[in-house]
Amino acid sequence: MTLPAEHPVIPAPKIGVLLINLGTPDAPDVASVRRYLAEFLSDRRVVEIPPLLWQPILRGAILTTRPKKSAHAYQQVWTAEGSPLAVHTRATAQALGQAMGGGVLVEWAMRYGNPAIGDRLKAMKEAGCDRILLAPLYPQYSGATTATANDAAFAALAKMRWQPAVRTLPPYHDDPAYIDALRHSIEGAIAALPFRPDALLASFHGMPERTLKLGDPYHCQSVKTARLLGEALALPVHMSFQSRFGRAKWLEPETEATLASLVRDGVRNIAVATPGFSADCLETLEEIALRAKDAFLAAGGENFAYLPCLNASAEAITLYQRLISRELSGWMD
């Protein structure tokens, strides 16, 4: 069939996969961090205090003091290629795209900062993606992570006249492929250490305790991940929650307090993994690999090792290929 001369060019249909991670400032300087924190901490999914009460606090004390401290932390982990989270997420998208083959376009975006979810979806639609899987890379579901990533995508789709068909990746906290990927990654990292850990600490990102009481499944899914990991590994596995902010009561036990408690119980050699994070970032590289290490050694520990996230490892790509191929069932062979 011959199209009219004035007919717009329509690209061949494609299937798209959009990997989504939390976000990062554009640079490790105070101005960039302030912009990032302003967007992040203004999200009602992240801070559930009414804006009339919260915004004066955010725009006042927090955004005038915290960006300098956070910029210093980012400077300690920033790489020549940029933010670790962006570097690893981009590498994951590239490797997964190669693994999935030419029939699937794999892109990546950040919920806060760049590349923005809306911009990526627009570009994917213009490239011919009429079916897109949104894939927030959070093994455990939380309203403050998975839900807000999907919210941002849906808000962008609401502005499109011709929307693609959309699916979302479910949490995979207890998926056998995920636990197996963690096991292989952790065992490989431990085998390369110059010491044998007495135990493994699985540290998850913290959430206010009220989120559990309001029905968020994050705590329960984190506990299940830690339990399954303990069953898969040949050493004791403990769990904790990190990254507290503000005065509210947060999920327990807290990571640094747990490390001190383990030392008192006789654990002198520890390895720490972060199975709630898909890629290394500020919270893993500065908060755990640096600050938690200092706390453990100060408490009397002897050897501390931080074990990297899955990042763009072979284990990660195999895992994501399995998860995503399952979710694309019916869209592709």
Side-chain angles (χ1 to χ4, degrees):
M1 176 179 174
T2 302
L3 297 176
E6 68 277 10
H7 196 285
V9 175
I10 299 177
K14 297 184 182 69
I15 295 170
V17 175
L18 184 62
L19 306 182
I20 304 173
N21 239 318
L22 184 76
T24 177
D26 295 322
D29 57 57
V30 173
S32 298
V33 172
R34 182 178 291 113
R35 286 194 301 271
Y36 169 72
L37 290 177
E39 181 183 8
F40 174 45
L41 296 176
S42 292
D43 188 342
R44 295 294 304 279
R45 290 276 197 181
V46 174
V47 179
E48 299 183 80
I49 301 172
L52 285 176
L53 298 176
W54 172 243
Q55 283 297 319
I57 299 172
L58 174 62
R59 303 290 167 176
I62 294 175
L63 290 182
T64 56
T65 60
R66 189 174 178 87
K68 183 177 180 181
K69 180 180 179 181
S70 295
H72 174 69
Y74 274 107
Q75 288 162 12
Q76 294 183 76
V77 302
W78 210 262
T79 75
E81 298 177 83
S83 161
L85 183 63
V87 170
H88 292 306
T89 306
R90 178 174 60 243
T92 300
Q94 292 171 346
L96 182 61
Q98 294 177 356
M100 296 297 296
V104 178
L105 175 64
V106 180
E107 287 287 0
W108 64 285
M110 295 294 181
R111 171 60 182 90
Y112 314 103
N114 296 303
I117 292 172
D119 293 343
R120 277 292 198 256
L121 285 174
K122 181 175 182 291
M124 293 173 76
K125 182 64 173 63
E126 290 174 350
C129 294
D130 59 356
R131 304 180 186 196
I132 297 177
L133 173 69
L134 304 175
L137 295 184
Y138 305 109
Q140 300 81 22
Y141 176 97
S142 173
T145 55
T146 308
T148 190
N150 289 335
D151 285 347
F154 298 149
L157 291 168
K159 298 176 183 178
M160 291 185 181
R161 177 171 295 276
W162 185 0
Q163 294 179 333
V166 173
R167 293 176 179 176
T168 62
L169 179 69
Y172 49 94
H173 63 285
D174 60 352
D175 193 291
Y178 169 60
I179 302 301
D180 193 51
L182 286 178
R183 179 180 65 82
H184 277 284
S185 177
I186 290 170
E187 288 179 343
I190 288 177
L193 295 177
F195 68 94
R196 177 67 183 175
D198 302 318
L200 175 83
L201 177 63
S203 181
F204 295 82
H205 197 288
M207 292 289 175
E209 187 181 76
R210 69 187 297 269
T211 61
L212 171 61
K213 296 178 179 178
L214 290 172
D216 197 302
Y218 176 78
H219 175 268
C220 298
Q221 292 185 0
S222 298
V223 169
K224 188 171 186 181
T225 296
R227 175 176 63 79
L228 293 174
L229 193 54
E231 294 172 359
L233 294 172
L235 77 166
V237 174
H238 305 269
M239 77 169 296
S240 62
F241 295 94
Q242 62 183 86
S243 308
R244 296 185 175 196
F245 176 77
R247 299 180 180 178
K249 183 173 177 57
W250 285 61
L251 296 176
E252 298 282 355
E254 191 271 335
T255 292
E256 290 191 13
T258 300
L259 287 169
S261 176
L262 288 171
V263 172
R264 291 193 295 271
D265 291 340
V267 174
R268 295 292 182 268
N269 308 291
I270 193 78
V272 181
T274 51
F277 296 86
S278 61
D280 278 309
C281 55
L282 181 73
E283 286 79 5
T284 66
L285 298 175
E286 192 272 340
E287 188 174 349
I288 299 298
L290 297 179
R291 283 195 279 140
K293 177 181 179 179
D294 288 345
F296 179 74
L297 297 179
E302 297 176 4
N303 291 292
F304 179 102
Y306 168 66
L307 309 183
C309 294
L310 291 176
N311 294 322
S313 64
E315 293 91 349
I317 304 309
T318 298
L319 166 66
Y320 299 141
Q321 188 175 14
R322 289 177 179 176
L323 295 176
I324 286 169
S325 295
R326 182 173 65 204
E327 298 307 318
L328 294 181
S329 176
W331 283 3
M332 60 175 288
D333 294 331

